[in-house]
Amino acid sequence: MEVVICKTYEDVSRAAAQVVAETLNEKPDAVLGLATGSTPLGLYKELIRMHTEEGLDFSHVTTFNLDEYVGLPHDHPQSYYYFMWENLFKHINVPVENIHVPSGTANNYKAFCQWYEDQIDEYGGIDLQVLGIGSDGHIAFNEPSSSLMSRTRLKTLTEQTINDNARFFDKKEDVPVYSITMGVGTILDAERLILLANGEGKADAVVAAIEGPVSSMITASALQLHPDSIFFLDEPAAGKLQMRDYYDWIQKKKPGAPGT
Ligand code: GLP
């Protein structure tokens, strides 16, 4: 696990975009796992800039999003499909048929979840998964107590998540109670994971995920089990890390490390 502490949110976004660009340079037909929420907005802005100004090409890319609210169709302004379309997809050249976001309106959720898992497998698995973190330490919608081996499934949101996400809706009662989400196990199967966090409000979740025990109570702590995961944090989100100096030391010493 690597911890990269950046001065500002903009630096977090740029550093994460660099990893995405490197992935696409190495593998133009990479499979990207994408996240929603306010955190990755800066990353998506930077990717759009790189596409427009530097020709970063998404024409062979496939995407799988982490999660969706149950009950919201694609064209609902609060649906994650709509979010992705408005904030990324419509601005880049990823073919629409290569975009996968879990359906919030499936007839048979069990069958849909299995299909989603099968689709990820069919495309050869996710090369790079982008993650945010909830204030309770969740990734995607894997709320506390989610199995660390869970797969894509229906998940009931906690009140804390409903409260956190109420800011995007007219009123709290409009926030769906159920979601469909990739499981922690699905996420851990990706080749590489990058988790972005900014702001003081994430500091507790971040320290628990990085320095706490691996626990289903903080599903982001499962990243400790992954051989290639990077946390990109701004200063306030990193504010409670005990090993902070060591993480900075590692980054400083990186250029001289043997084999790099
Ligand atoms: C939701 C999403 C998560 C996201 C989290 C944090 O719960 N399902 O994927 O990481 O919100 O959102 P934000 O980045 O807005 O703080």
Side-chain angles (χ1 to χ4, degrees):
M1 196 165 66
E2 195 177 335
V3 181
V4 179
I5 299 154
C6 307
K7 272 211 169 68
T8 64
Y9 170 66
E10 287 69 32
D11 296 330
V12 167
S13 303
R14 271 192 292 269
Q18 210 47 52
V19 176
V20 175
E22 278 163 21
T23 305
L24 298 192
N25 285 339
E26 266 172 40
K27 192 177 175 190
D29 62 345
V31 178
L32 299 179
L34 298 174
T36 50
S38 38
T39 308
L41 281 174
L43 160 65
Y44 295 156
K45 256 197 191 139
E46 179 61 8
L47 290 178
I48 293 165
R49 191 200 63 74
M50 288 169 126
H51 169 68
T52 326
E53 292 176 17
E54 295 164 13
L56 184 63
D57 182 25
F58 293 85
S59 63
H60 300 291
V61 166
T62 299
T63 68
F64 283 92
N65 260 80
L66 287 168
D67 47 11
E68 180 58 284
Y69 289 115
V70 165
L72 304 192
H74 279 181
D75 57 355
H76 189 290
Q78 260 67 49
S79 76
Y80 282 169
Y81 189 97
Y82 190 92
F83 174 99
M84 290 306 301
W85 185 257
E86 288 299 312
N87 292 298
L88 182 64
F89 296 146
K90 79 173 185 189
H91 305 284
I92 59 174
N93 62 337
V94 60
V96 70
E97 62 274 17
N98 291 7
I99 293 170
H100 303 84
V101 180
S103 169
T105 54
N107 290 326
N108 180 339
Y109 275 102
K110 240 186 163 169
F112 180 82
C113 292
Q114 189 54 54
W115 177 83
Y116 203 70
E117 288 275 333
D118 293 345
Q119 281 293 107
I120 295 173
D121 282 349
E122 222 163 273
Y123 281 91
I126 291 169
D127 294 296
L128 176 69
Q129 175 68 58
V130 176
L131 296 163
I133 185 168
S135 62
D136 61 3
H138 73 236
I139 44 174
F141 270 133
N142 293 288
E143 298 286 31
S145 81
S146 292
S147 161
L148 300 185
M149 293 180 76
S150 49
R151 311 302 305 185
T152 303
R153 68 208 183 293
L154 202 86
K155 192 77 200 165
T156 309
L157 303 183
T158 62
E159 274 206 82
Q160 186 174 335
T161 297
I162 290 173
N163 287 334
D164 284 352
N165 293 353
R167 66 186 193 280
F168 299 111
F169 292 79
D170 288 340
K171 47 186 190 314
K172 188 181 149 186
E173 292 68 41
D174 292 344
V175 185
V177 172
Y178 306 104
S179 67
I180 176 166
T181 179
M182 276 189 207
V184 181
T186 320
I187 293 168
L188 290 179
D189 281 349
E191 275 294 304
R192 187 171 224 197
L193 306 174
I194 53 173
L195 187 149
L196 284 57
N198 67 290
E200 208 184 335
K202 297 292 172 68
D204 284 320
V206 162
V207 69
I210 297 174
E211 296 179 343
V214 174
S215 162
S216 62
M217 292 306 285
I218 303 283
T219 49
S221 67
L223 269 65
Q224 295 178 31
L225 302 170
H226 196 279
D228 189 359
S229 63
I230 314 174
F231 282 75
F232 289 107
L233 311 171
D234 73 353
E235 287 288 347
K240 297 195 174 173
L241 292 171
Q242 288 183 23
M243 298 286 285
R244 158 78 203 246
D245 290 348
Y246 179 53
Y247 308 136
D248 287 345
W249 173 253
I250 292 174
Q251 292 307 313
K252 214 168 126 195
K253 294 289 164 194
K254 217 175 166 182
T260 54

